[in-house]
Amino acid sequence: MKKTYINKYESYSCAGDTKSLMKAIYSNKSFVAIDTTFMPENPVALGKMGVDDFFETLSHTVAKVLESSNLKDFSNTLLIIGSSVGGMAESEQHYFKDKNYKNIDPSRHAISVISKSLEEKFSFLDTRSLSTACTSSANAMLLAKRLIGVGAYDNVLVVGADALCYTTVCGFYALSVLSSKPCTPFSKGREGMNVAEAVAVLLLQNTPEDGAVELLGVGASSDAFHMTNPDPQAKGAISSMQNALDDAGLQAEDIVYVNAHGTGTVANDTVEGLAVETLFKDVYLSSTKAVTGHTLGASSALEAIISCEVIKQSMIPPQVALSEVENEKLTIPREAVKKVVPYVMSNSFAFGGNNTSLVFGGVK
């Protein structure tokens, strides 16, 4: 099996580009803010990118990765999209403007609209689009590793992309899991999550360049415990993490830092904390969603980039906005920790009990 290396990447979120994002994380600064756009009578905190054109930002971010890569173009590259909303925001704009659904273009509503928009500006060998809720871009990474591993493709561009829209904001509000303030993962009395938007782009290749990070292991599970709640015994989360370790050929004690799914909801953080406590004896844990909000289908790709930066910078992210820790058995830093980080695990847990964990390592 061929190895898989993450050679180039870039992102854009409410915290800005990747450089600005890492600065915010290590400075304990959240870019989530209270918003009244979607629900004026019930303000919630959201992670808004503050751009006029989401698809223009998407194309610009992809172009930056191409320009910094060893490729002239993407003609020998597979594009894999991970998204949960696709073109839903555009469909909503038509509906609210016209008060009618008849002018909505179904092809512009689907998940594949993201790959279609990129194909109009870049030439790809082929494209795939995945939508598995909050694990969408994690599963795109998983698929990329497997395809590169068997030699099907030399280059795979993974793009996680989701824009804010009424359907997701109001949908999560209906589930009573949104917070009216920036989220506080793993804290006692946490109120809920912050819906957010982002674009995250990673170029995976079968040979490393300077500064590459290896995607060592991928693991998935499907416990199907409940439509929206995780298994309270954390069986699915433990399984996906163990599967990723097995795929990477590592033991739990090899992992120095776990980038948690850590949405800030009561159910997720309790169960994920239990899973980490069960599998690991001593590991640093934090959730960067306190900085970016939960970018849904883009979150896994965004946090894969954060994981790469943690390895490169030898700096463990603090838990931003942490008040009183709920599970005192977990090692959750309040400030950034300077430490050599050979291996990082990043978790993504989605509705329906579909779970994906990724393991990253420095290139030896």
Side-chain angles (χ1 to χ4, degrees), residues 4-9 203 205 207-215 308 311-312 361-364:
T4 301
Y5 302 96
I6 302 168
N7 282 329
K8 301 295 177 183
Y9 51 75
L203 178 60
Q205 299 178 289
T207 55
E209 292 191 336
D210 290 342
V213 172
E214 186 175 355
L215 178 54
C308 291
I311 291 171
K312 291 182 181 183
V363 177
K364 298 179 180 179

Side-chain angles (χ1 to χ4, degrees), residues 19 51 76 122 125 135 157 170 175 193 196 214 231 237 239 241-242 245 248 252 255 276 291 319 325 338 355 361:
K19 184 177 180 179
V51 299
N76 193 35
F122 307 93
L125 181 62
T135 57
L157 191 75
C170 296
L175 291 172
M193 61 176 279
E214 186 175 355
D231 174 8
S239 178
M241 290 192 290
Q242 186 61 60
L245 288 171
I255 304 296
V276 171
V291 176
Q319 183 53 67
V325 179
K338 186 67 177 177
N355 313 292

Side-chain angles (χ1 to χ4, degrees), residues 82-85 111 130-139 162 172 227 261 294-300 348-354:
S83 177
S84 67
V85 304
I111 298 296
L130 303 180
S131 184
T132 55
C134 304
T135 57
S136 296
S137 52
N139 285 326
D162 261 339
F172 280 108
M227 284 292 289
H261 185 57
H294 188 356
T295 60
L296 306 180
S299 63
S300 307
S348 299
F349 304 140
F351 283 170
N354 81 85

Side-chain angles (χ1 to χ4, degrees), residues 181 183-191 264 269-270 319-330 332-334:
K181 60 185 180 181
C183 67
T184 57
F186 301 109
S187 296
K188 282 185 178 179
R190 57 189 178 275
E191 194 175 298
D269 294 8
T270 298
Q319 183 53 67
V320 177
L322 181 66
S323 56
E324 187 177 359
V325 179
E326 178 184 70
N327 186 343
E328 295 182 352
K329 295 180 181 179
L330 302 173
I332 305 176
R334 294 178 182 272

Side-chain angles (χ1 to χ4, degrees), residues 251-319:
Q251 302 299 315
E253 54 265 30
D254 294 322
I255 304 296
V256 173
Y257 171 64
V258 174
N259 177 277
H261 185 57
T263 58
T265 64
V266 173
N268 177 88
D269 294 8
T270 298
V271 170
E272 185 170 15
L274 174 62
V276 171
E277 172 196 337
T278 302
L279 191 59
F280 298 93
K281 292 182 180 179
D282 184 23
V283 69
Y284 285 99
L285 173 76
S286 67
S287 168
T288 51
K289 288 183 176 69
V291 176
T292 65
H294 188 356
T295 60
L296 306 180
S299 63
S300 307
L302 184 63
E303 290 166 26
I305 291 173
I306 293 170
S307 297
C308 291
E309 286 292 304
V310 170
I311 291 171
K312 291 182 181 183
Q313 297 191 36
S314 298
M315 187 78 75
I316 293 171
Q319 183 53 67

Side-chain angles (χ1 to χ4, degrees), residues 2 15 33 56 61 119 148 176 193 256 278 337 354:
K2 294 184 178 181
E56 183 178 323
T61 307
E119 283 184 289
I148 290 174
S176 301
M193 61 176 279
V256 173
T278 302
V337 178
N354 81 85

Side-chain angles (χ1 to χ4, degrees), residues 145 216-219 238-252 255 279 345 359:
K145 181 179 185 296
L216 286 163
V218 295
I238 293 170
S239 178
S240 72
M241 290 192 290
Q242 186 61 60
N243 289 340
L245 288 171
D246 293 343
D247 189 47
L250 297 175
Q251 302 299 315
I255 304 296
L279 191 59
M345 177 178 286
V359 174

